Amino acid sequence: MNTTPEDAKRPARDTDRLRVGYGEDAHRLEAGRALVIGGVAVPNSAVGAAAVSDGDVLLHALADALLSAFAQGDIGVLFPPDDPASRGLSSSVIVATALERIRKQSGAVEVINVSAVVTLDQPRLAPLRDQIVAQVGRLLAVEPDRVGITFKTSEGLALGHVQARVVVLVT
Ligand code: C5P
Ligand code: MG
């Protein structure tokens, strides 16, 4: 395995403690709504996610991935969709609450890396990648070089939707 000088400084990990989590989310797109991806408001989007929260598919999928890694169900357990308190929630709060839940269950939890795919036909998100990576890194307390985010169009197969799929490795 290739190691970098930075790797050499890190303590060896107990691989029995490694856990992988996967999450995905999708929202319908509607005119006149804000489009928020990874905590970043996408400027000049004609459409945004129809949702009771801010409809941030990337952060919803990330929160589900974190909970899934520790077999803690999904964000509906933390924020029941029919509970009025779940309305208008910032998705950053959802991620923070998921982290709190898994820390309560498993003690210190450290995110090793995140790998995500966001599928959206329009607008282009690549110009916002650094901002989105920085924001996700901040939420998880990891360096940007541990947050990989891919943008894909659906080639017109999922017009009218925005989707995200996220894998996290945690310890
Ligand atoms: O899906 P496709 O392979 O056609 O995507 C081509 C490129 O467009 C990718 O490099 C991706 O980063 C970018 N892209 C984007 N915004 C999107 C979808 C794709 O910047 N909403
Ligand atoms: Mg959602």
Side-chain angles (χ1 to χ4, degrees):
M1 194 171 76
N2 290 332
T3 55
T4 64
E6 196 204 341
D7 289 331
K9 285 186 241 152
R10 291 196 184 99
R13 291 192 194 284
D14 176 358
T15 52
D16 284 352
R17 275 187 54 88
L18 287 179
R19 285 176 179 246
V20 67
Y22 176 72
E24 57 177 69
D25 193 31
H27 281 272
R28 245 177 336 101
L29 293 168
E30 277 181 7
R33 286 178 179 268
L35 181 62
V36 183
I37 305 284
V40 174
V42 178
N44 307 320
S45 178
V47 290
V52 291
S53 69
D54 59 10
D56 188 328
V57 285
L58 179 53
L59 295 192
H60 293 179
L62 173 60
D64 275 347
L66 289 165
L67 292 169
S68 178
F70 290 90
Q72 291 289 299
D74 58 47
I75 56 181
V77 175
L78 301 179
F79 302 102
D82 47 4
D83 181 346
S86 303
R87 294 195 160 263
L89 262 183
S90 153
S91 297
S92 302
V93 171
I94 296 177
V95 171
T97 308
L99 278 172
E100 218 172 87
R101 165 66 69 107
I102 60 179
R103 288 193 168 125
K104 201 178 282 175
Q105 191 229 352
S106 299
V109 168
E110 184 192 343
V111 174
I112 297 174
N113 77 308
V114 184
S115 179
V117 180
V118 177
T119 305
L120 176 72
D121 283 28
Q122 288 286 341
R124 278 180 58 78
L125 296 172
L128 299 174
R129 191 183 336 254
D130 288 352
Q131 254 179 280
I132 294 171
V133 162
Q135 181 58 18
V136 171
R138 266 195 293 276
L139 288 173
L140 299 176
V142 294
E143 293 299 318
D145 69 351
R146 289 171 178 272
V147 181
I149 302 187
T150 300
F151 302 117
K152 297 303 290 182
T153 68
S154 76
E155 293 279 345
L157 294 173
L159 273 174
H161 287 82
V162 57
Q163 297 178 281
R165 299 170 177 90
V166 175
V167 177
V168 289
L169 187 65
V170 286
T171 187

